[in-house]
Amino acid sequence: MDGLRVEGLGKQYGDVAAVRDLSFTVPCGEIVGLLGPNGAGKTTTLHTLAGLVHPTSGRAYLDGMPIEQQKALIGFVPEQPEVFPLLTVEEHLGFVARAYDLPDGWQETGQGILRRLHLEDVADRVGGALSKGMKQKLLIACALLHQPKLMLVDEPMVGLDPAGQRELVEALREIRSGGAAILLSTHMLQSAEEICDRFLILQRGRLIAQGTLEEITAQSASLQEAFLGLTEGA
Amino acid sequence: MRGYRALLYLEWRTLRAQLRQLARSRGRLAVYVLVAAYLVFILSEGRQGMPHFSHAASIYGLGLWLVFLGVGAIGGRRRLLARPADLALVVPSAIAPDRIVVWALVRQAVSQLRLLVIVAVFWVPQMAQSGGVDWGSLLYAVALTLVAAMAVRHILLGLGRWGRPLRYLMLLALAGLLLFAGSALLRGGVADLAAAISHLWPVALAVAALHGYPLGLALLGIAAILLLLAMVALAPRIVRLGVDWSALPVLAGRRGLVARPAGAPSGQVGSRARRRRYRRHDWPGRGDYALFGVELARLYRTLWPTTALLIAAAWLAAGVAGTFARPRGVPWEVVPGFVAYIMLLTGAAVASMNFSQILATPLWAQTPGPIGKKLLAWFLPGACVTGLGWAGVAGGWLIGMGETAIALWSLPLALALMCLVRAVGLLGWAMLPNALDQRGIAVWLRFLVTILATAIAAGFFAGAFALAGFAAGAVAGSLSALAEAYLCLQLSELRIRAMDFVRPSEGRA
Ligand SMILES: Nc1ncnc2c1ncn2[C@@H]1O[C@H](COP(=O)(O)OP(=O)(O)O)[C@@H](O)[C@H]1O
Ligand SMILES: [Mg+2]
């Protein structure tokens, strides 16, 4: 099966089990929402998949290959928008193009991405002079530039203005239709409801429910109610 | 090659942006021009008699640098990829982790070289005195020691769990070496120390290499190559073990005030019991002095317990060394030299300290009350902790010698001097708060200012000591140091009052 497959993933920080025995899949062409209250282990999960943290146990595969061999196919947008303070927006794209060895023509792709994220006006501004939302959009642009097969996005809606949120949703839908798999963590249930095809609900590092919106809300009126019922009951 | 191409591009563009910023800020440019002019002056001055290298001076210069290198090499993983954007953009990218490690190594070597240039500038006048030195071999030897030290650091990283006891052993060895140097210095004075140290064969070899001795150079080269090979052999482990990248507090969202305790395993913010114990403590400092408690908490979390134990061990060791040295008596004429040496070490550490980290937090800017008091509350705990470290060592030694009264007198002196060093560092930051000025040539300037400022208090100490004995010297030294510190604090307050507190912006490119 193509896409992301995670088997028994676990991460222990000293005496804190941040993630325990997590197994799920994100098929190509799907947006999967990783939901859970603060401290549930969403960021830790994404960090292990992005190669920032070594899992204590478990494995993950992208397109059937171990994920650590597939880094060129992954786009990661971290929760904290940290950019190079002295590189301009355009130079960030230049760095990514070189890091992923993109063929010529990435300049046009990059311009297009900057335009849709409304970053073209600040293209020659350095990272340190951007607002938080702009930094976040810049990191999204960097993650999109090499057209990844797997997008890992951590709490993307938090710092974005409404227009930015809409652009992000559209961009994610577009790369989904291009056949990418997308794993997106959030605690904003409304926007999750709007774009995710399926959901994983985490609670204290464990997967406590998964499925489509209909499956999860079978007994309740909305995703929010189902979410609160699941996470408070557990 | 693709990874290196991207990383080179990153470094090149960053450098270009830094130079552009520099060119745009006239005040800062003036400072840099002054420093450059000084360098040119020193070097052209020396052209008649230079290049010369006195044997003792080369040993002290080398010793100072080796101590810096040693501490850096043993000091662990925390700074390997400490820049936040590395974690967001470099580590998760397609660049192979071993290339990232090599890049981090080169970056660190370059910053070490910068430090060496700073130290070297101080030794240029010294070098101008006597004895020839071969600059080619000097460069070669310096490069080799740098490579070796960096390799040691990464080997320790790659050894993971096993690296930690090794690290402690090396720290102990370093402390022993310093103690040896200190007691030799106190026993026989400056020239004897040089002679004594040059009889330790690794040092003798290094010094010989500096003077162009071929066997010394060859052996240094072999050692560097062996260490490098060991590092390459360990590279996969370095990548696997040392790379819990985001356990660095940055991406995990625990930025700022609370650092991981030194020596704790990555990502573990102290043991649960310890945290609970500390939470029960009622922090001192209220109102204008609330930052006092915050700073204490930070120190507690960074110092406890490993560093505190090491400091206590150093106190004890100093006491034991003192009892051994007792029959020979205290050679007082070396005291000012010893003070100067300590000032050099701490001055260098302070001069490159990044004050903006705590002072730029909104927490600090928002609280009511006069800035001067807030500054005082922030900087006193750190000054006392560093002061106690040095005073404990000197005091232990003196008590071992049976000079308890002098040990007691040196306590206020050490505390006052540390207050001064920190206040000068703070003033340096207040004068040049831009992140760019925390690095590079401006560090040299701050270093120089720190030394000069402490020299005034040291002069008062020496004068009163010569006239009326140690107690008078301690009182005069402490009072002048505190007065100077107060002045620096006032000046910093003036500067800081006119500052924007949230100033991450580095302008347009
Ligand atoms: N570097 C770390 N060291 C110790 N504990 C950590 C670290 N990173 C995360 N944790 C802990 O792991 C748990 C999950 O955190 P996280 O993945 O950031 O949650 P989420 O993103 O869902 O809010 C939390 O209890 C957090 O305190
Ligand atoms: Mg999170």
Side-chain angles (χ1 to χ4, degrees):
Chain A
M1 184 214 68
D2 275 357
L4 173 70
R5 190 170 87 242
V6 175
E7 293 172 357
L9 193 75
K11 175 67 189 178
Q12 193 86 20
Y13 284 116
D15 48 4
V16 180
V19 171
R20 303 179 232 202
D21 197 26
L22 206 58
S23 300
F24 61 87
T25 58
V26 183
C28 291
E30 260 194 27
I31 300 182
V32 172
L34 192 58
L35 309 184
N38 291 329
K42 306 181 292 291
T43 298
T44 306
T45 306
L46 294 175
H47 280 181
T48 35
L49 296 175
L52 281 160
V53 158
H54 279 269
T56 325
S57 59
R59 311 229 47 183
Y61 302 89
L62 180 57
D63 288 352
M65 299 266 285
I67 196 163
E68 52 283 6
Q69 293 166 24
Q70 301 277 54
K71 282 178 96 176
L73 303 182
I74 300 176
F76 171 59
V77 183
E79 189 175 4
Q80 306 273 338
E82 301 280 7
V83 298
F84 298 121
L86 288 172
L87 253 56
T88 63
V89 167
E90 268 174 342
E91 285 169 342
H92 275 81
L93 296 184
F95 169 75
V96 173
R98 285 166 178 80
Y100 289 82
D101 219 6
L102 300 184
D104 261 347
W106 63 265
Q107 286 90 345
E108 285 75 58
T109 323
Q111 286 306 324
I113 294 174
L114 292 187
R115 215 171 304 120
R116 18 179 345 172
L117 292 173
H118 301 292
L119 283 175
E120 76 266 45
D121 290 342
V122 292
D124 62 347
R125 208 180 281 183
V126 291
L130 299 178
S131 75
K132 184 180 177 202
M134 288 173 179
K135 284 183 189 167
Q136 203 170 346
K137 285 199 245 177
L138 172 55
L139 286 176
I140 293 168
C142 288
L144 291 173
L145 185 67
H146 63 283
Q147 292 159 344
K149 292 282 306 267
L150 170 67
M151 274 288 274
L152 304 168
V153 195
D154 200 357
E155 308 276 3
M157 302 301 178
V158 175
L160 294 181
D161 56 16
Q165 293 184 6
R166 203 185 52 224
E167 293 304 334
L168 174 66
V169 167
E170 270 168 28
L172 289 179
R173 284 198 175 127
E174 201 169 290
I175 66 167
R176 166 177 65 183
S177 58
I182 299 166
L183 181 62
L184 169 146
S185 94
T186 184
H187 54 237
M188 298 204 173
L189 300 177
Q190 254 172 357
S191 52
E193 228 167 4
E194 190 188 326
I195 51 168
C196 296
D197 303 306
R198 278 193 315 120
F199 300 91
L200 304 165
I201 300 186
L202 284 187
Q203 162 86 327
R204 290 197 212 101
R206 272 189 226 284
L207 189 61
I208 53 169
Q210 61 174 318
T212 60
L213 188 61
E214 293 73 43
E215 287 162 5
I216 286 186
T217 55
Q219 281 112 34
S220 30
S222 70
L223 182 59
Q224 181 168 8
E225 259 175 47
F227 177 83
L228 291 176
L230 280 165
T231 53
E232 276 162 14
Chain B
M1 273 328 285
R2 103 177 145 192
Y4 291 130
R5 208 159 63 92
L7 294 168
L8 269 178
Y9 175 81
L10 170 63
E11 293 300 330
W12 156 237
R13 290 298 166 127
T14 306
L15 183 70
R16 210 178 62 167
Q18 282 179 341
L19 291 178
R20 282 198 187 151
Q21 277 196 4
L22 186 63
R24 233 179 294 115
S25 140
R26 249 178 266 153
R28 204 174 316 137
L29 199 60
V31 170
Y32 281 63
V33 167
L34 273 179
V35 171
Y38 174 78
L39 276 181
V40 169
F41 170 74
I42 288 274
L43 289 174
S44 62
E45 186 74 347
R47 209 173 283 144
Q48 304 100 32
M50 280 245 303
H52 288 313
F53 219 124
S54 92
H55 194 59
S58 65
I59 286 177
Y60 288 129
L62 186 76
L64 196 63
W65 185 55
L66 281 180
V67 167
F68 279 133
L69 260 192
V71 170
I74 302 166
R77 78 176 68 166
R78 255 202 289 175
R79 287 193 318 184
L80 185 67
L81 280 162
R83 295 189 199 173
D86 292 347
L87 300 180
L89 285 161
V90 179
V91 179
S93 76
I95 302 173
D98 50 350
R99 298 196 171 170
I100 298 177
V101 168
V102 169
W103 168 66
L105 178 127
V106 171
R107 196 167 64 174
Q108 279 180 347
V110 169
S111 69
Q112 286 290 332
L113 260 181
R114 231 188 260 149
L115 192 64
L116 181 69
V117 168
I118 292 166
V119 174
V121 165
F122 272 90
W123 258 263
V124 165
Q126 288 277 1
M127 290 173 197
Q129 263 143 48
S130 68
V133 64
D134 172 358
W135 288 99
S137 353
L138 180 70
L139 267 181
Y140 180 64
V142 161
L144 288 180
T145 14
L146 247 183
V147 166
M150 294 293 126
V152 165
R153 179 195 202 110
H154 288 78
I155 288 169
L156 287 176
L157 256 180
L159 289 177
R161 230 168 246 296
W162 295 105
R164 217 181 306 156
L166 259 182
R167 200 174 281 174
Y168 289 143
L169 279 179
M170 291 171 76
L171 260 178
L172 277 181
L174 199 68
L177 206 73
L178 283 178
L179 267 179
F180 169 79
S183 58
L185 183 75
L186 286 162
R187 214 183 307 132
V190 177
D192 276 11
L193 173 64
I197 291 188
S198 49
H199 284 119
L200 288 178
W201 71 263
V203 182
L205 206 63
V207 174
L210 287 184
H211 288 273
Y213 178 54
L215 183 63
L217 285 175
L219 287 178
L220 254 185
I222 290 172
I225 288 171
L226 284 181
L227 284 170
L228 211 60
L229 285 180
M231 193 195 85
V232 171
L234 277 171
R237 299 205 60 190
I238 293 174
V239 174
R240 225 173 337 111
L241 285 168
V243 192
D244 247 350
W245 309 95
S246 73
L248 291 159
V250 183
L251 274 193
R254 260 173 291 284
R255 307 208 296 142
L257 293 184
V258 182
R260 187 158 60 82
S266 59
Q268 206 180 342
V269 188
S271 81
R272 221 179 245 179
R274 205 189 302 149
R275 261 176 284 152
R276 218 176 290 132
R277 221 179 305 136
Y278 190 74
R279 247 185 251 129
R280 261 195 270 116
H281 287 206
D282 199 12
W283 286 6
R286 290 278 176 276
D288 297 345
Y289 298 107
L291 222 56
F292 188 83
V294 177
E295 183 61 10
L296 262 189
R298 193 184 67 80
L299 285 169
Y300 174 88
R301 294 199 173 147
T302 42
L303 286 177
W304 200 256
T306 321
T307 320
L309 281 178
L310 280 177
I311 290 174
W315 291 359
L316 267 180
V320 172
T323 47
F324 279 118
R326 187 191 289 209
R328 289 185 200 107
V330 187
W332 289 111
E333 66 280 5
V334 296
V335 167
F338 190 60
V339 170
Y341 198 77
I342 289 175
M343 289 297 114
L344 276 178
L345 286 177
T346 37
V350 165
S352 58
M353 199 187 269
N354 194 344
F355 284 90
S356 51
Q357 208 192 20
I358 188 154
L359 292 186
T361 50
L363 192 73
W364 136 268
Q366 278 164 13
T367 51
I371 288 174
K373 285 188 183 173
K374 285 198 265 180
L375 280 180
L376 196 67
W378 165 71
F379 107 132
L380 271 182
C384 290
V385 166
T386 26
L388 281 178
W390 288 117
V393 172
W397 196 81
L398 285 163
I399 290 172
M401 299 271 306
E403 302 276 1
T404 315
I406 289 175
L408 287 180
W409 277 116
S410 59
L411 183 68
L413 184 65
L415 289 181
L417 281 175
M418 283 307 138
C419 280
L420 175 57
V421 167
R422 238 168 125 77
V424 172
L426 176 64
L427 181 62
W429 177 79
M431 288 296 166
L432 298 169
N434 192 294
L436 202 64
D437 298 315
Q438 312 288 323
R439 309 183 283 270
I441 235 167
V443 173
W444 177 83
L445 189 78
R446 296 169 55 176
F447 184 70
L448 187 70
V449 170
T450 312
I451 303 298
L452 287 180
T454 44
I456 298 176
F460 273 96
F461 165 76
F465 172 56
L467 288 175
F470 194 88
V475 170
S478 317
L479 287 181
S480 53
L482 285 179
E484 265 191 88
Y486 181 74
L487 207 68
C488 291
L489 217 64
Q490 292 293 308
L491 283 174
S492 316
E493 184 187 348
L494 271 183
R495 269 293 285 195
I496 290 173
R497 207 180 287 153
M499 238 181 225
D500 288 340
F501 273 100
V502 184
R503 52 202 322 282
S505 151
E506 311 239 290
R508 280 173 165 272

